[in-house]
Amino acid sequence: MTVTDVNTAFAAEKTRQLDTARQQQRAFQARIDRGEIRMIGADRYKVLTGWDRGEVFTVTRNTQGQIDGIIAQHGLDERADGTIALYASSPAWHGLGQIIPGGTTDIDEVLALSGLDFKVTTVPALYEWQGEMREHADQRHTVRTDTGAALGAVGRKYCPIQNRQGFEFLQELVGRFDVVWESAGLLRGGKRVFISIRLPETVTVDADGINDIVVPYVAVMNDHSGQGQFQCVVTPWRPVCANTERFAVRDAVTRWAVRHTAGATSEIKEARRTLGLSVQYFEHFAAEETALARTDIAVRDFHDVIGDLWPLDDDATDAKKTNFAARLGTLDERFRTETERVGRTAYAAERAITGYLDHVAPRRPPKSMTEEVFRATAVMEGADDETKSKAHRRLLTLTRA
């Protein structure tokens, strides 16, 4: 039996990557040559494969130009005392933060250790016009009450969901007030925060085959900038930094989100229903994934599914045909990678399609956003959820063929 705790696997993979890169220049160059990482700027690289694909890091060099260190962009803020704004029940891969082995149930302690012990309020949005200060009647700014730092611009009906409310929401969601907190942290100056707990249930995929036991967490991601919702996800990732927060959202089994309005976090029944926090839900999910894992499919079947998701008309232009061929080639490559791990199955096909949508599918970001930020936003807002659900349903039809 294999227990797939992606958090442990991530830490092991990260340690291996760092050790390899430090050992010799040739090993680092070999990773570039194999397409595992690529340079995106002066000594800045992006990981293209593995648990931490999408992460950006910087290498440092000695006077001879040899690699002597790697600095990963964990993205965590610092607390007032200079320590990192992170609480965790076990050490994170980057060795940062305040660790309480085995965790704690004390909300106040976690708020203090993680740097989340502040409130958010809204203040009038003012602007200067011809030497006179005026107020924008339909807009306000979110501000930290401890430092006065501005977090974002919001509408006048916006009602901040406080950090403590995130903890209380998770307690009510699972119906327990002795919850052991797994992690909590602060990103982008307090604009984003995360909190997570581990669920007692586990999901076993194909017990008699690949026998993957997925450890699920419930995580809350709250946005104080006005650019995102308060959202809760069931995920295999325990967020401990900017990268794993992104992974938690990307690989969420299911999600529930609500806008920042008065009484928003009181919708516990709806959240429970949407997230499916029940034994029956996990059993149903495991059964479907197991069915996919036990269904062998040919490349032709995989191509048929792709054709259903992205149909190509008979009279399509040459440009559309070229784009279709490029997408097909990329998906085939991802499918081959997944089949090496779990076999040529519908399970591998689903992971290939989901990975393509999250990391590769072309995006056209507005001028105000980089492609990376725009892609992350699309994942958080579930822009491709409908396509992913359609792929899942379509692949399930093959299990009954």
Side-chain angles (χ1 to χ4, degrees), residues 127-145:
Y127 64 96
E128 183 179 352
W129 178 254
Q130 296 180 348
E132 176 188 6
M133 294 302 297
R134 296 187 178 184
E135 180 180 342
H136 191 313
D138 293 327
Q139 194 173 61
R140 295 179 69 82
H141 291 296
T142 49
V143 174
R144 289 179 58 154
T145 58

Side-chain angles (χ1 to χ4, degrees), residues 204-208 285-295 347 399:
T204 303
V205 177
D206 192 14
D208 298 324
F285 172 75
E288 289 192 345
E289 294 302 304
T290 296
L292 293 179
R294 293 179 177 177
T295 302
Y347 188 58
T399 69

Side-chain angles (χ1 to χ4, degrees), residues 181-210:
W181 306 106
E182 285 289 332
S183 66
L186 194 61
L187 305 168
R188 296 169 55 204
K191 292 180 180 179
R192 286 189 65 80
V193 303
F194 58 81
I195 310 162
S196 75
I197 60 175
R198 177 173 173 169
L199 288 175
E201 296 87 355
T202 57
V203 177
T204 303
V205 177
D206 192 14
D208 298 324
I210 60 175

Side-chain angles (χ1 to χ4, degrees), residues 13-31:
E13 175 71 7
K14 174 55 60 182
T15 299
R16 184 191 68 78
Q17 291 174 349
L18 297 180
D19 288 344
T20 300
R22 290 191 181 106
Q23 284 172 8
Q24 52 182 333
Q25 177 76 32
R26 291 195 303 273
F28 189 77
Q29 185 60 47
R31 293 194 64 208

Side-chain angles (χ1 to χ4, degrees), residues 30-235:
R31 293 194 64 208
I32 298 175
D33 296 340
R34 290 195 300 268
E36 296 177 6
I37 59 176
R38 66 178 172 85
M39 178 179 282
I40 60 173
D43 280 333
R44 295 179 69 244
Y45 295 83
K46 185 172 184 178
V47 181
L48 304 179
T49 63
W51 294 103
D52 54 348
R53 58 188 180 273
E55 182 187 347
V56 174
F57 63 89
T58 301
V59 300
T60 59
R61 301 179 186 274
N62 58 27
T63 55
Q64 286 75 44
Q66 298 172 327
I67 295 174
D68 62 4
I70 290 180
I71 303 173
Q73 295 182 325
H74 54 74
L76 293 161
D77 294 340
E78 287 189 3
R79 302 190 306 164
D81 62 4
T83 57
I84 295 299
L86 169 70
Y87 152 83
S89 63
S90 58
W93 65 267
H94 41 56
L96 302 172
Q98 286 51 250
I99 311 300
I100 297 181
T104 179
T105 62
D106 190 330
I107 292 179
D108 290 315
E109 187 174 17
V110 177
L111 282 168
L113 292 175
S114 62
L116 272 65
D117 53 346
F118 65 88
K119 291 184 178 180
V120 177
T121 190
T122 61
V123 298
L126 304 177
Y127 64 96
E128 183 179 352
W129 178 254
Q130 296 180 348
E132 176 188 6
M133 294 302 297
R134 296 187 178 184
E135 180 180 342
H136 191 313
D138 293 327
Q139 194 173 61
R140 295 179 69 82
H141 291 296
T142 49
V143 174
R144 289 179 58 154
T145 58
D146 58 341
T147 64
L151 302 177
V154 298
R156 59 185 177 84
K157 294 183 179 180
Y158 182 98
C159 182
I161 297 175
Q162 304 298 339
N163 296 333
R164 176 178 285 274
Q165 288 179 267
F167 288 88
E168 294 170 348
F169 175 85
L170 284 174
Q171 286 181 328
E172 293 185 47
L173 185 69
V174 297
R176 294 180 58 181
F177 295 90
D178 58 347
V179 168
V180 176
W181 306 106
E182 285 289 332
S183 66
L186 194 61
L187 305 168
R188 296 169 55 204
K191 292 180 180 179
R192 286 189 65 80
V193 303
F194 58 81
I195 310 162
S196 75
I197 60 175
R198 177 173 173 169
L199 288 175
E201 296 87 355
T202 57
V203 177
T204 303
V205 177
D206 192 14
D208 298 324
I210 60 175
N211 197 26
D212 267 351
I213 297 181
V214 180
V215 179
Y217 294 82
V218 180
V220 156
M221 266 74 79
N222 194 10
D223 184 288
H224 294 309
S225 71
Q227 300 300 309
Q229 297 175 303
F230 176 95
Q231 67 171 324
C232 187
V233 297
V234 177
T235 175

